[in-house]
Amino acid sequence: MDQICRTLLGFAIVGIAACGGGGGGTGSTGVNNGTGGTGGANCTAGDGTICVLAGSFNPIDITIAKNGSVTFQEVQGAHFIVFDAPLANGVSNIGDFSSGTASRTFNEVGTFPYHCTLHGGVGTGMHGTIKVQ
């Protein structure tokens, strides 16, 4: 019986570890207001930081204040990040992104969707939204 319990406990620990790394958002389409968790190696999601993972952004959706900045931090993989229409005034696409960080400042209120052209599209795959209030 002890061996069965240890085996089941081992499976539970592996399962929990496989699901780790989530942000503080409210689910896959939730809004993160800066209460994020670990998004991946050396990246903490939230407070204006979006972790760029192999096939997703963490958080997917983020809310910032007007004149606030969003920093995309590369964790894994090569990406090509673009903003969908409408593009905020003065904000440019990030483009080829395979290391480091890239920040953008949003000086107008609105909702600004973005995606990785290599792993998604407008509203599908690797995509997200920046809401500026």
Side-chain angles (χ1 to χ4, degrees):
M1 187 68 159
D2 286 336
Q3 181 61 34
I4 292 171
C5 291
R6 281 193 292 268
T7 300
L8 291 174
L9 179 61
F11 285 134
I13 291 170
V14 169
I16 290 169
C19 295
T26 57
S28 62
T29 59
V31 174
N32 186 308
N33 291 314
T35 59
T38 302
N42 301 316
C43 183
T44 301
D47 292 329
T49 298
I50 298 173
C51 300
V52 182
L53 307 172
S56 65
F57 296 104
N58 180 27
I60 294 171
D61 300 324
I62 193 167
T63 299
I64 63 170
K66 181 179 176 184
N67 298 318
S69 294
V70 172
T71 299
F72 291 83
Q73 183 173 339
E74 175 61 34
V75 176
Q76 184 179 19
H79 305 279
F80 197 91
I81 302 171
V82 298
F83 291 94
D84 309 333
L87 191 61
N89 185 29
V91 174
S92 61
N93 289 322
I94 294 169
D96 189 15
F97 191 64
S98 58
S99 66
T101 61
S103 296
R104 297 295 183 266
T105 299
F106 292 80
N107 59 12
E108 59 186 81
V109 172
T111 300
F112 306 99
Y114 62 92
H115 70 276
C116 171
T117 62
L118 302 176
H119 303 103
V122 177
T124 184
M126 191 172 175
H127 72 285
T129 305
I130 299 168
K131 184 175 182 180
V132 182
Q133 299 179 334

Short mmCIF file of all heavy atoms in Angstrom, two decimals, residues 63-127:
data_model
loop_
_atom_site.label_atom_id
_atom_site.label_comp_id
_atom_site.label_asym_id
_atom_site.label_seq_id
_atom_site.Cartn_x
_atom_site.Cartn_y
_atom_site.Cartn_z
N THR A 63 -4.03 44.79 -18.73
CA THR A 63 -4.59 46.12 -18.62
C THR A 63 -3.55 47.05 -17.99
O THR A 63 -2.94 46.70 -16.98
CB THR A 63 -5.87 46.11 -17.74
OG1 THR A 63 -6.83 45.25 -18.37
CG2 THR A 63 -6.45 47.50 -17.60
N ILE A 64 -3.34 48.20 -18.63
CA ILE A 64 -2.39 49.18 -18.11
C ILE A 64 -3.06 50.56 -18.10
O ILE A 64 -4.10 50.76 -18.73
CB ILE A 64 -1.09 49.24 -18.94
CG1 ILE A 64 -1.39 49.68 -20.38
CG2 ILE A 64 -0.36 47.92 -18.89
CD1 ILE A 64 -0.14 49.99 -21.19
N ALA A 65 -2.45 51.49 -17.41
CA ALA A 65 -2.95 52.87 -17.38
C ALA A 65 -2.45 53.62 -18.61
O ALA A 65 -1.40 53.28 -19.20
CB ALA A 65 -2.45 53.57 -16.12
N LYS A 66 -3.20 54.64 -19.01
CA LYS A 66 -2.79 55.51 -20.11
C LYS A 66 -1.39 56.05 -19.81
O LYS A 66 -1.07 56.37 -18.66
CB LYS A 66 -3.78 56.66 -20.26
CG LYS A 66 -3.46 57.60 -21.40
CD LYS A 66 -4.50 58.69 -21.51
CE LYS A 66 -4.13 59.69 -22.59
NZ LYS A 66 -5.08 60.80 -22.65
N ASN A 67 -0.54 56.12 -20.82
CA ASN A 67 0.87 56.53 -20.74
C ASN A 67 1.74 55.47 -20.07
O ASN A 67 2.90 55.73 -19.77
CB ASN A 67 1.04 57.89 -20.04
CG ASN A 67 0.33 58.99 -20.79
OD1 ASN A 67 0.40 59.05 -22.01
ND2 ASN A 67 -0.37 59.86 -20.08
N GLY A 68 1.17 54.28 -19.85
CA GLY A 68 1.93 53.17 -19.29
C GLY A 68 2.65 52.39 -20.37
O GLY A 68 2.37 52.53 -21.56
N SER A 69 3.59 51.59 -19.95
CA SER A 69 4.37 50.79 -20.88
C SER A 69 4.11 49.30 -20.69
O SER A 69 3.78 48.86 -19.59
CB SER A 69 5.86 51.05 -20.69
OG SER A 69 6.18 52.36 -21.04
N VAL A 70 4.28 48.57 -21.77
CA VAL A 70 4.24 47.12 -21.75
C VAL A 70 5.58 46.63 -22.24
O VAL A 70 6.10 47.12 -23.24
CB VAL A 70 3.11 46.57 -22.66
CG1 VAL A 70 3.19 45.06 -22.79
CG2 VAL A 70 1.75 46.98 -22.12
N THR A 71 6.16 45.68 -21.51
CA THR A 71 7.44 45.09 -21.90
C THR A 71 7.22 43.63 -22.24
O THR A 71 6.70 42.87 -21.43
CB THR A 71 8.47 45.21 -20.77
OG1 THR A 71 8.68 46.59 -20.49
CG2 THR A 71 9.79 44.56 -21.16
N PHE A 72 7.57 43.26 -23.46
CA PHE A 72 7.57 41.86 -23.88
C PHE A 72 8.94 41.31 -23.54
O PHE A 72 9.96 41.87 -23.94
CB PHE A 72 7.32 41.75 -25.38
CG PHE A 72 5.93 42.13 -25.80
CD1 PHE A 72 5.57 43.45 -26.00
CD2 PHE A 72 4.96 41.15 -25.99
CE1 PHE A 72 4.30 43.81 -26.39
CE2 PHE A 72 3.67 41.49 -26.38
CZ PHE A 72 3.34 42.82 -26.58
N GLN A 73 8.97 40.20 -22.78
CA GLN A 73 10.24 39.60 -22.40
C GLN A 73 10.33 38.20 -22.97
O GLN A 73 9.50 37.33 -22.68
CB GLN A 73 10.39 39.55 -20.87
CG GLN A 73 11.74 39.00 -20.45
CD GLN A 73 11.97 39.09 -18.96
OE1 GLN A 73 11.34 39.89 -18.27
NE2 GLN A 73 12.89 38.30 -18.46
N GLU A 74 11.32 37.96 -23.80
CA GLU A 74 11.53 36.67 -24.45
C GLU A 74 11.92 35.60 -23.43
O GLU A 74 12.78 35.83 -22.58
CB GLU A 74 12.63 36.80 -25.50
CG GLU A 74 13.02 35.51 -26.15
CD GLU A 74 11.90 34.84 -26.90
OE1 GLU A 74 11.05 35.53 -27.47
OE2 GLU A 74 11.87 33.61 -26.90
N VAL A 75 11.24 34.48 -23.50
CA VAL A 75 11.57 33.34 -22.65
C VAL A 75 12.04 32.17 -23.50
O VAL A 75 13.06 31.56 -23.22
CB VAL A 75 10.36 32.91 -21.78
CG1 VAL A 75 10.69 31.67 -20.97
CG2 VAL A 75 9.94 34.05 -20.87
N GLN A 76 11.30 31.88 -24.58
CA GLN A 76 11.65 30.71 -25.38
C GLN A 76 11.13 30.86 -26.80
O GLN A 76 10.00 31.28 -27.03
CB GLN A 76 11.03 29.46 -24.74
CG GLN A 76 11.39 28.17 -25.43
CD GLN A 76 10.77 26.98 -24.74
OE1 GLN A 76 9.81 27.11 -24.00
NE2 GLN A 76 11.30 25.81 -25.00
N GLY A 77 11.96 30.54 -27.77
CA GLY A 77 11.55 30.50 -29.16
C GLY A 77 11.82 31.80 -29.91
O GLY A 77 12.21 32.80 -29.34
N ALA A 78 11.61 31.74 -31.21
CA ALA A 78 11.71 32.91 -32.08
C ALA A 78 10.30 33.33 -32.46
O ALA A 78 9.44 32.48 -32.72
CB ALA A 78 12.52 32.57 -33.32
N HIS A 79 10.05 34.64 -32.47
CA HIS A 79 8.71 35.16 -32.71
C HIS A 79 8.78 36.39 -33.61
O HIS A 79 9.83 37.01 -33.76
CB HIS A 79 8.04 35.52 -31.38
CG HIS A 79 8.03 34.38 -30.42
ND1 HIS A 79 7.10 33.38 -30.50
CD2 HIS A 79 8.86 34.05 -29.41
CE1 HIS A 79 7.34 32.48 -29.54
NE2 HIS A 79 8.42 32.87 -28.87
N PHE A 80 7.64 36.74 -34.18
CA PHE A 80 7.50 37.96 -34.96
C PHE A 80 6.21 38.61 -34.49
O PHE A 80 5.12 38.19 -34.88
CB PHE A 80 7.46 37.65 -36.47
CG PHE A 80 7.72 38.86 -37.30
CD1 PHE A 80 9.01 39.17 -37.71
CD2 PHE A 80 6.69 39.70 -37.68
CE1 PHE A 80 9.27 40.29 -38.49
CE2 PHE A 80 6.94 40.82 -38.45
CZ PHE A 80 8.22 41.12 -38.86
N ILE A 81 6.33 39.61 -33.61
CA ILE A 81 5.17 40.17 -32.92
C ILE A 81 4.71 41.45 -33.61
O ILE A 81 5.51 42.36 -33.85
CB ILE A 81 5.49 40.45 -31.44
CG1 ILE A 81 5.93 39.14 -30.76
CG2 ILE A 81 4.30 41.07 -30.73
CD1 ILE A 81 6.47 39.31 -29.36
N VAL A 82 3.42 41.48 -33.95
CA VAL A 82 2.83 42.65 -34.59
C VAL A 82 1.55 43.03 -33.86
O VAL A 82 0.89 42.20 -33.25
CB VAL A 82 2.52 42.40 -36.09
CG1 VAL A 82 3.79 42.12 -36.87
CG2 VAL A 82 1.52 41.27 -36.27
N PHE A 83 1.21 44.31 -33.94
CA PHE A 83 -0.05 44.81 -33.39
C PHE A 83 -1.08 44.81 -34.51
O PHE A 83 -0.78 45.17 -35.65
CB PHE A 83 0.12 46.21 -32.80
CG PHE A 83 0.95 46.22 -31.56
CD1 PHE A 83 2.31 46.45 -31.61
CD2 PHE A 83 0.36 45.97 -30.33
CE1 PHE A 83 3.08 46.43 -30.46
CE2 PHE A 83 1.12 45.94 -29.17
CZ PHE A 83 2.48 46.18 -29.23
N ASP A 84 -2.30 44.41 -34.18
CA ASP A 84 -3.38 44.41 -35.14
C ASP A 84 -3.98 45.81 -35.18
O ASP A 84 -3.76 46.62 -34.30
CB ASP A 84 -4.46 43.40 -34.73
CG ASP A 84 -3.87 42.01 -34.46
OD1 ASP A 84 -2.81 41.68 -35.03
OD2 ASP A 84 -4.45 41.28 -33.65
N ALA A 85 -4.77 46.09 -36.20
CA ALA A 85 -5.47 47.39 -36.27
C ALA A 85 -6.53 47.41 -35.19
O ALA A 85 -7.16 46.39 -34.91
CB ALA A 85 -6.09 47.56 -37.64
N PRO A 86 -6.78 48.50 -34.50
CA PRO A 86 -6.07 49.76 -34.69
C PRO A 86 -4.76 49.77 -33.92
O PRO A 86 -4.65 49.19 -32.84
CB PRO A 86 -7.04 50.78 -34.11
CG PRO A 86 -7.72 50.04 -32.99
CD PRO A 86 -7.85 48.61 -33.50
N LEU A 87 -3.76 50.41 -34.48
CA LEU A 87 -2.47 50.55 -33.83
C LEU A 87 -2.44 51.86 -33.05
O LEU A 87 -2.86 52.88 -33.56
CB LEU A 87 -1.36 50.54 -34.88
CG LEU A 87 0.07 50.41 -34.39
CD1 LEU A 87 0.26 49.09 -33.64
CD2 LEU A 87 1.04 50.45 -35.56
N ALA A 88 -2.03 51.81 -31.81
CA ALA A 88 -1.98 53.01 -30.98
C ALA A 88 -1.03 54.02 -31.59
O ALA A 88 0.01 53.66 -32.16
CB ALA A 88 -1.55 52.66 -29.57
N ASN A 89 -1.35 55.29 -31.48
CA ASN A 89 -0.52 56.36 -31.99
C ASN A 89 0.88 56.28 -31.40
O ASN A 89 1.05 56.25 -30.19
CB ASN A 89 -1.17 57.71 -31.65
CG ASN A 89 -0.43 58.87 -32.27
OD1 ASN A 89 0.20 58.73 -33.31
ND2 ASN A 89 -0.49 60.02 -31.62
N GLY A 90 1.89 56.23 -32.24
CA GLY A 90 3.27 56.20 -31.79
C GLY A 90 3.79 54.83 -31.41
O GLY A 90 4.94 54.69 -31.04
N VAL A 91 2.96 53.80 -31.52
CA VAL A 91 3.39 52.44 -31.17
C VAL A 91 3.72 51.69 -32.45
O VAL A 91 2.92 51.63 -33.38
CB VAL A 91 2.30 51.69 -30.37
CG1 VAL A 91 2.69 50.25 -30.15
CG2 VAL A 91 2.06 52.39 -29.04
N SER A 92 4.91 51.11 -32.51
CA SER A 92 5.32 50.35 -33.68
C SER A 92 5.32 48.86 -33.38
O SER A 92 5.37 48.44 -32.22
CB SER A 92 6.72 50.79 -34.13
OG SER A 92 7.65 50.53 -33.09
N ASN A 93 5.28 48.06 -34.44
CA ASN A 93 5.37 46.61 -34.28
C ASN A 93 6.72 46.25 -33.69
O ASN A 93 7.70 46.99 -33.84
CB ASN A 93 5.19 45.92 -35.64
CG ASN A 93 3.77 46.00 -36.13
OD1 ASN A 93 2.83 45.90 -35.35
ND2 ASN A 93 3.61 46.17 -37.42
N ILE A 94 6.78 45.11 -33.04
CA ILE A 94 8.03 44.65 -32.47
C ILE A 94 8.84 43.90 -33.52
O ILE A 94 10.04 44.03 -33.62
CB ILE A 94 7.76 43.78 -31.22
CG1 ILE A 94 7.15 44.68 -30.15
CG2 ILE A 94 9.03 43.10 -30.73
CD1 ILE A 94 6.58 43.96 -28.98
N GLY A 95 8.14 43.11 -34.33
CA GLY A 95 8.82 42.39 -35.40
C GLY A 95 9.58 41.19 -34.89
O GLY A 95 9.17 40.52 -33.95
N ASP A 96 10.74 40.93 -35.52
CA ASP A 96 11.56 39.77 -35.20
C ASP A 96 12.01 39.86 -33.75
O ASP A 96 12.61 40.84 -33.34
CB ASP A 96 12.76 39.73 -36.14
CG ASP A 96 13.54 38.44 -36.03
OD1 ASP A 96 13.03 37.46 -35.45
OD2 ASP A 96 14.68 38.40 -36.53
N PHE A 97 11.72 38.80 -32.99
CA PHE A 97 11.97 38.85 -31.56
C PHE A 97 12.38 37.47 -31.08
O PHE A 97 11.57 36.55 -31.02
CB PHE A 97 10.67 39.30 -30.86
CG PHE A 97 10.83 39.65 -29.41
CD1 PHE A 97 11.63 40.70 -29.01
CD2 PHE A 97 10.16 38.94 -28.44
CE1 PHE A 97 11.76 41.03 -27.67
CE2 PHE A 97 10.27 39.26 -27.10
CZ PHE A 97 11.08 40.31 -26.72
N SER A 98 13.68 37.32 -30.76
CA SER A 98 14.13 36.02 -30.29
C SER A 98 14.98 36.10 -29.03
O SER A 98 15.43 35.07 -28.53
CB SER A 98 14.91 35.30 -31.39
OG SER A 98 16.02 36.10 -31.80
N SER A 99 15.18 37.31 -28.50
CA SER A 99 15.90 37.43 -27.23
C SER A 99 15.69 38.82 -26.64
O SER A 99 15.31 39.76 -27.35
CB SER A 99 17.40 37.18 -27.42
OG SER A 99 17.97 38.19 -28.21
N GLY A 100 15.91 38.93 -25.33
CA GLY A 100 15.85 40.21 -24.66
C GLY A 100 14.44 40.70 -24.38
O GLY A 100 13.53 39.90 -24.15
N THR A 101 14.28 42.03 -24.41
CA THR A 101 12.99 42.65 -24.14
C THR A 101 12.70 43.71 -25.19
O THR A 101 13.61 44.22 -25.85
CB THR A 101 12.97 43.32 -22.74
OG1 THR A 101 13.95 44.34 -22.71
CG2 THR A 101 13.21 42.31 -21.63
N ALA A 102 11.42 44.02 -25.31
CA ALA A 102 10.97 45.11 -26.18
C ALA A 102 9.81 45.80 -25.48
O ALA A 102 8.87 45.14 -25.05
CB ALA A 102 10.54 44.58 -27.54
N SER A 103 9.89 47.12 -25.33
CA SER A 103 8.85 47.86 -24.62
C SER A 103 8.14 48.82 -25.57
O SER A 103 8.75 49.35 -26.50
CB SER A 103 9.45 48.66 -23.46
OG SER A 103 10.00 47.79 -22.49
N ARG A 104 6.87 49.04 -25.28
CA ARG A 104 6.06 50.01 -26.02
C ARG A 104 5.25 50.81 -25.00
O ARG A 104 4.72 50.24 -24.05
CB ARG A 104 5.13 49.32 -27.01
CG ARG A 104 5.82 48.53 -28.11
CD ARG A 104 6.63 49.45 -29.02
NE ARG A 104 7.25 48.76 -30.13
CZ ARG A 104 8.50 48.29 -30.14
NH1 ARG A 104 9.24 48.40 -29.05
NH2 ARG A 104 8.99 47.71 -31.21
N THR A 105 5.15 52.12 -25.22
CA THR A 105 4.38 53.01 -24.35
C THR A 105 3.08 53.39 -25.06
O THR A 105 3.11 53.77 -26.24
CB THR A 105 5.18 54.28 -24.00
OG1 THR A 105 6.37 53.86 -23.31
CG2 THR A 105 4.38 55.20 -23.11
N PHE A 106 1.97 53.28 -24.35
CA PHE A 106 0.64 53.55 -24.91
C PHE A 106 0.11 54.86 -24.32
O PHE A 106 -0.17 54.94 -23.14
CB PHE A 106 -0.29 52.38 -24.60
CG PHE A 106 0.09 51.13 -25.33
CD1 PHE A 106 1.11 50.32 -24.87
CD2 PHE A 106 -0.57 50.78 -26.50
CE1 PHE A 106 1.48 49.17 -25.56
CE2 PHE A 106 -0.21 49.63 -27.20
CZ PHE A 106 0.82 48.83 -26.73
N ASN A 107 -0.02 55.87 -25.19
CA ASN A 107 -0.44 57.19 -24.71
C ASN A 107 -1.89 57.51 -25.05
O ASN A 107 -2.29 58.66 -24.96
CB ASN A 107 0.49 58.28 -25.23
CG ASN A 107 0.54 58.31 -26.74
OD1 ASN A 107 -0.26 57.69 -27.41
ND2 ASN A 107 1.50 59.04 -27.28
N GLU A 108 -2.64 56.50 -25.45
CA GLU A 108 -4.06 56.71 -25.69
C GLU A 108 -4.86 55.51 -25.19
O GLU A 108 -4.37 54.39 -25.16
CB GLU A 108 -4.35 56.98 -27.17
CG GLU A 108 -3.92 55.88 -28.12
CD GLU A 108 -4.10 56.28 -29.57
OE1 GLU A 108 -3.22 56.98 -30.10
OE2 GLU A 108 -5.12 55.87 -30.15
N VAL A 109 -6.08 55.80 -24.77
CA VAL A 109 -6.98 54.78 -24.24
C VAL A 109 -7.50 53.93 -25.40
O VAL A 109 -7.76 54.45 -26.49
CB VAL A 109 -8.15 55.45 -23.48
CG1 VAL A 109 -9.20 54.44 -23.08
CG2 VAL A 109 -7.61 56.19 -22.26
N GLY A 110 -7.64 52.65 -25.17
CA GLY A 110 -8.19 51.76 -26.19
C GLY A 110 -7.80 50.32 -25.94
O GLY A 110 -7.16 49.99 -24.94
N THR A 111 -8.19 49.47 -26.87
CA THR A 111 -7.86 48.05 -26.81
C THR A 111 -7.01 47.74 -28.03
O THR A 111 -7.42 48.01 -29.16
CB THR A 111 -9.14 47.19 -26.80
OG1 THR A 111 -9.91 47.56 -25.65
CG2 THR A 111 -8.81 45.72 -26.73
N PHE A 112 -5.84 47.18 -27.79
CA PHE A 112 -4.86 46.97 -28.84
C PHE A 112 -4.44 45.50 -28.90
O PHE A 112 -3.60 45.05 -28.11
CB PHE A 112 -3.66 47.89 -28.61
CG PHE A 112 -4.06 49.33 -28.48
CD1 PHE A 112 -4.19 49.92 -27.23
CD2 PHE A 112 -4.38 50.07 -29.60
CE1 PHE A 112 -4.59 51.24 -27.09
CE2 PHE A 112 -4.79 51.40 -29.48
CZ PHE A 112 -4.90 51.97 -28.23
N PRO A 113 -5.02 44.75 -29.84
CA PRO A 113 -4.66 43.34 -29.99
C PRO A 113 -3.30 43.18 -30.68
O PRO A 113 -2.87 44.06 -31.43
CB PRO A 113 -5.79 42.77 -30.85
CG PRO A 113 -6.41 43.94 -31.53
CD PRO A 113 -6.10 45.15 -30.73
N TYR A 114 -2.65 42.08 -30.40
CA TYR A 114 -1.35 41.77 -31.00
C TYR A 114 -1.26 40.26 -31.20
O TYR A 114 -2.04 39.49 -30.63
CB TYR A 114 -0.21 42.27 -30.10
CG TYR A 114 -0.19 41.62 -28.73
CD1 TYR A 114 0.56 40.47 -28.50
CD2 TYR A 114 -0.94 42.12 -27.68
CE1 TYR A 114 0.57 39.86 -27.25
CE2 TYR A 114 -0.94 41.52 -26.43
CZ TYR A 114 -0.19 40.40 -26.23
OH TYR A 114 -0.18 39.79 -25.00
N HIS A 115 -0.33 39.83 -32.03
CA HIS A 115 -0.12 38.39 -32.21
C HIS A 115 1.28 38.12 -32.76
O HIS A 115 1.96 39.02 -33.22
CB HIS A 115 -1.19 37.78 -33.13
CG HIS A 115 -1.08 38.19 -34.57
ND1 HIS A 115 -1.62 39.36 -35.05
CD2 HIS A 115 -0.48 37.59 -35.62
CE1 HIS A 115 -1.38 39.46 -36.34
NE2 HIS A 115 -0.68 38.40 -36.71
N CYS A 116 1.68 36.88 -32.69
CA CYS A 116 2.92 36.40 -33.29
C CYS A 116 2.55 35.83 -34.65
O CYS A 116 1.75 34.89 -34.73
CB CYS A 116 3.57 35.33 -32.41
SG CYS A 116 4.98 34.51 -33.20
N THR A 117 3.13 36.37 -35.71
CA THR A 117 2.78 35.90 -37.06
C THR A 117 3.29 34.49 -37.33
O THR A 117 2.80 33.82 -38.22
CB THR A 117 3.32 36.86 -38.14
OG1 THR A 117 4.74 36.89 -38.06
CG2 THR A 117 2.74 38.25 -37.98
N LEU A 118 4.27 34.03 -36.55
CA LEU A 118 4.81 32.68 -36.74
C LEU A 118 3.97 31.61 -36.04
O LEU A 118 3.99 30.44 -36.44
CB LEU A 118 6.25 32.60 -36.22
CG LEU A 118 7.25 33.58 -36.84
CD1 LEU A 118 8.60 33.45 -36.16
CD2 LEU A 118 7.36 33.34 -38.34
N HIS A 119 3.25 32.00 -34.98
CA HIS A 119 2.53 31.02 -34.16
C HIS A 119 1.06 31.35 -33.98
O HIS A 119 0.39 30.77 -33.12
CB HIS A 119 3.19 30.90 -32.78
CG HIS A 119 4.64 30.53 -32.87
ND1 HIS A 119 5.64 31.45 -32.69
CD2 HIS A 119 5.24 29.35 -33.13
CE1 HIS A 119 6.82 30.85 -32.83
NE2 HIS A 119 6.60 29.58 -33.10
N GLY A 120 0.53 32.29 -34.72
CA GLY A 120 -0.87 32.67 -34.56
C GLY A 120 -1.29 33.66 -35.61
O GLY A 120 -0.63 33.85 -36.62
N GLY A 121 -2.41 34.28 -35.33
CA GLY A 121 -2.97 35.28 -36.24
C GLY A 121 -3.89 36.17 -35.45
O GLY A 121 -3.97 36.09 -34.23
N VAL A 122 -4.62 37.02 -36.15
CA VAL A 122 -5.54 37.93 -35.50
C VAL A 122 -6.59 37.10 -34.74
O VAL A 122 -7.37 36.38 -35.34
CB VAL A 122 -6.23 38.85 -36.53
CG1 VAL A 122 -7.24 39.74 -35.84
CG2 VAL A 122 -5.19 39.68 -37.27
N GLY A 123 -6.55 37.16 -33.41
CA GLY A 123 -7.52 36.46 -32.57
C GLY A 123 -7.38 34.96 -32.51
O GLY A 123 -8.27 34.27 -32.01
N THR A 124 -6.29 34.41 -32.98
CA THR A 124 -6.13 32.95 -32.97
C THR A 124 -4.68 32.58 -32.65
O THR A 124 -3.76 33.36 -32.89
CB THR A 124 -6.56 32.34 -34.32
OG1 THR A 124 -6.48 30.92 -34.23
CG2 THR A 124 -5.69 32.81 -35.45
N GLY A 125 -4.48 31.40 -32.12
CA GLY A 125 -3.13 30.93 -31.79
C GLY A 125 -2.46 31.81 -30.76
O GLY A 125 -3.05 32.18 -29.76
N MET A 126 -1.23 32.19 -31.03
CA MET A 126 -0.45 33.00 -30.10
C MET A 126 -0.82 34.47 -30.30
O MET A 126 -0.30 35.15 -31.18
CB MET A 126 1.04 32.78 -30.37
CG MET A 126 1.95 33.35 -29.32
SD MET A 126 3.66 32.81 -29.63
CE MET A 126 4.49 33.74 -28.37
N HIS A 127 -1.76 34.94 -29.47
CA HIS A 127 -2.27 36.30 -29.58
C HIS A 127 -2.64 36.84 -28.21
O HIS A 127 -2.70 36.09 -27.25
CB HIS A 127 -3.49 36.35 -30.51
CG HIS A 127 -4.71 35.74 -29.89
ND1 HIS A 127 -4.88 34.39 -29.74
CD2 HIS A 127 -5.81 36.32 -29.34
CE1 HIS A 127 -6.04 34.16 -29.14
NE2 HIS A 127 -6.62 35.31 -28.89
#
